Amino acid sequence: MNFLHNDLGHLSGGEVVEVNLSNAANVKLMDSSNFSNYRRGGRHEYFGGHVTRSPFRLEVPREGHWHVAVDLGGYAGSVRAGVRVLG
C-alpha cells in the first residue's frame, strides 16, 4: 500500500495535529505499535478516518510516540499532505 508518513516523535498528549490535504484521503493518527501493524498490512487502531475537508485537526489522546499516515485506501490517484503539531 502506498501512503505518506509523518513521524511526529514523542508527544505529551493534548497537542493538536493539523493535516492539510490536496484532496480527500484517509488520515490515521497512530502510536508506534499500531503504525508498525499498519505498515505490515495488519490490524491497527487509529484516530481520524476519511477526510474530505482541509485543514483537519486531531487531538493527541495520550503521551507516546505518534505517527500520521495518509493514504487513498487503495484507490488510484495521488495526494499531498502537510502535517504540523500545534501547541
Side-chain angles (χ1 to χ4, degrees):
M1 173 190 303
N2 291 329
F3 62 91
L4 302 175
H5 171 237
N6 286 272
D7 185 337
L8 303 178
H10 186 85
L11 299 173
S12 299
E15 297 93 341
V16 174
V17 177
E18 181 180 82
V19 181
N20 285 286
L21 300 170
S22 60
N23 49 282
N26 298 316
V27 174
K28 298 181 176 188
L29 174 67
M30 298 171 273
D31 61 22
S32 291
S33 175
N34 281 293
F35 179 67
S36 180
N37 290 340
Y38 169 80
R39 284 181 42 190
R40 289 193 308 266
R43 279 186 65 162
H44 58 283
E45 294 181 3
Y46 60 89
F47 299 91
H50 186 72
V51 175
T52 58
R53 297 177 71 148
S54 190
F56 178 67
R57 293 186 177 125
L58 287 159
E59 184 174 328
V60 176
R62 64 185 177 280
E63 183 177 2
H65 195 109
W66 292 91
H67 301 263
V68 171
V70 177
D71 68 52
L72 296 175
Y75 291 99
S78 64
V79 62
R80 291 184 311 281
V83 179
R84 66 182 182 151
V85 178
L86 308 174

